[in-house]
Amino acid sequence: MVTTTTTLHPVAVSENSSSTSTKRVLLLKPRGFCAGVVRAIDIVRIALETFGAPIYVRKEIVHNSYVVNDLAKKGAIFVNELDEVPEGARVIYSAHGVSPAVRQRAKDRGLKVIDATCPLVTKVHVEAIKFAKQGYSLVLVGHRDHEEVEGTQGEAPDVTQVVSTVEEVDALVVPDPDKVAYLTQTTLSLDEAKYMIDALKKKFPNIVGPHAQDICYATENRQTAVKNVAHGADVVLVVGSRNSSNSNRLVEVSQNLGTNSYLIDKADDIRPEWLEGMNAIAVTAGASAPEVLVQEVVAYLQGKGYGSVDEVEVMPENVRFGLPPEIVQAIASAPQPAQ
């Protein structure tokens, strides 16, 4: 249930825009950066400020082109694999996590590692290790080409199978059907995960799972916000990059409810025909999309006559994660500015 509605201060509306009497923006909250993304970006920024450029980052620190380009301008060098990092250099792991094989490769090359893996992804890695040690066959529900899934599967590759569809669940073969455990990617849609888990439970009645769901709080909260508002909107615009899993899931959630939804990197991606005859436009953002892009979308819509902007808070969100010890120690040992 929607708990609060706050009218924001509108920006100037274009003189060429149509009547603003009924055209409005529903700005969803929570939206945008989650605690894991804030932590990962802070780690790169602090590393650059403390150690100086270049700082190497394996893969995109988070899946957002604006964020990656901004950090690259500050001196971060993004690489696909550790072999691209000079021996002995400093490298940061992305928020999506890495496999033990990647960690070993970093050790072999003498790299100075700073781990920006989201703590909620680390939780899934720990679960994978636990189940594997207990002799379970592992089923990982997720998208097999996603970096998070690759990292989690790498914790126990010999006993882990990845499934993305119910058909793949039906085709699963395991040594002992009574000794099976499941985990999920943290950025799946809640409905998708439930559908898949139900299929697994039907195939393996004795299957076990994590004590708490693997889908992260931010993914769930942003999807819940969309579910609460989509019925009152004509269109849902999701700010996020194409390779952002949780952003794509927000689009799917809206579309599954019968409301047209589009994924956009920035305001310039909005097509005029999407807005034709539409009075209420809901705007949200994936967990790796910065607020500056959201505000540019709102300004664009107001320039098109959507003069009323209502921020709709579905639930409060106050999660914070601490920094890794490498960064904490670097901050502590940095010279203090002169008084």
Side-chain angles (χ1 to χ4, degrees):
M1 180 179 292
V2 174
T3 55
T4 63
T5 303
T6 305
T7 301
L8 305 182
H9 297 293
V11 298
V13 178
S14 167
E15 292 181 0
N16 296 324
S17 63
S18 58
S19 171
T20 63
S21 59
T22 60
K23 297 172 72 172
R24 62 190 183 128
V25 176
L26 303 174
L27 186 57
L28 276 58
K29 184 178 180 181
R31 63 180 179 274
F33 281 178
C34 64
V37 166
V38 170
R39 177 180 182 270
I41 294 171
D42 283 348
I43 287 170
V44 178
R45 287 176 174 164
I46 294 169
L48 286 167
E49 293 168 0
T50 305
F51 304 113
I55 294 290
Y56 293 85
V57 183
R58 183 184 182 275
K59 307 291 186 180
E60 293 186 347
I61 186 67
V62 298
H63 285 158
N64 185 270
S65 55
Y66 179 96
V67 170
V68 170
N69 292 337
D70 182 61
L71 291 173
K73 291 174 185 175
K74 292 177 169 63
I77 298 176
F78 293 88
V79 299
N80 284 320
E81 297 300 340
L82 295 183
D83 289 347
E84 301 171 56
V85 181
E87 289 194 8
R90 184 168 276 105
V91 65
I92 297 175
Y93 296 148
S94 79
H96 309 105
V98 300
S99 68
V102 172
R103 295 182 187 278
Q104 184 60 48
R105 185 60 179 158
K107 186 176 180 180
D108 294 342
R109 293 179 56 79
L111 302 179
K112 301 180 183 70
V113 172
I114 301 174
D115 192 351
T117 301
C118 174
L120 298 180
V121 174
T122 298
K123 164 186 170 289
V124 183
H125 281 230
V126 171
E127 290 165 346
I129 295 168
K130 180 193 72 174
F131 283 130
K133 285 182 176 179
Q134 292 174 348
Y136 285 92
S137 295
L138 268 174
V139 180
L140 177 56
V141 181
H143 306 288
R144 56 177 48 84
D145 59 343
H146 194 278
E147 290 151 37
E148 180 190 325
V149 170
E150 292 173 356
T152 303
Q153 185 178 19
E155 294 289 359
D158 295 336
V159 299
T160 304
Q161 299 183 66
V162 178
V163 293
S164 302
T165 65
V166 171
E167 290 73 22
E168 291 177 351
V169 170
D170 293 339
L172 281 172
V173 177
V174 297
D176 182 355
D178 292 322
K179 194 73 171 178
V180 183
Y182 74 85
L183 300 170
T184 73
Q185 183 178 337
T186 63
T187 53
L188 297 180
S189 78
L190 295 169
D191 296 334
E192 176 186 18
K194 182 181 183 303
Y195 189 54
M196 294 291 289
I197 292 168
D198 286 347
L200 284 168
K201 289 179 177 178
K202 182 178 179 181
K203 185 175 179 69
F204 305 112
N206 294 324
I207 195 169
V208 297
H211 291 300
Q213 70 171 21
D214 290 330
I215 295 175
C216 86
Y217 78 93
T219 297
E220 178 175 4
N221 289 352
R222 281 147 190 73
Q223 290 177 20
T224 300
V226 169
K227 287 182 177 181
N228 275 271
V229 176
H231 66 280
D234 298 308
V235 173
V236 175
L237 298 179
V238 179
V239 181
S241 291
R242 295 287 169 187
N243 60 341
S244 167
S245 175
N246 74 88
S247 298
N248 279 286
R249 302 296 82 76
L250 292 174
V251 173
E252 291 174 3
V253 166
S254 176
Q255 292 176 340
N256 289 339
L257 292 171
T259 303
N260 286 337
S261 183
Y262 305 97
L263 181 64
I264 56 174
D265 243 323
K266 55 189 181 304
D268 291 346
D269 296 335
I270 300 173
R271 297 181 184 177
E273 58 265 29
W274 295 347
L275 307 180
E276 290 178 4
M278 304 300 173
N279 290 322
I281 310 297
V283 177
T284 188
S288 52
E291 180 65 13
V292 62
L293 298 181
V294 175
Q295 293 303 320
E296 288 176 1
V297 168
V298 171
Y300 172 91
L301 291 172
Q302 291 195 297
K304 296 297 182 182
Y306 296 85
S308 172
V309 180
D310 294 327
E311 185 169 63
V312 184
E313 182 173 8
V314 176
M315 77 245 331
E317 189 174 276
N318 301 298
V319 178
R320 298 289 184 272
F321 292 140
L323 295 170
E326 304 93 340
I327 290 295
V328 173
Q329 292 165 9
I331 295 172
S333 61
Q336 297 300 312
Q339 297 295 325

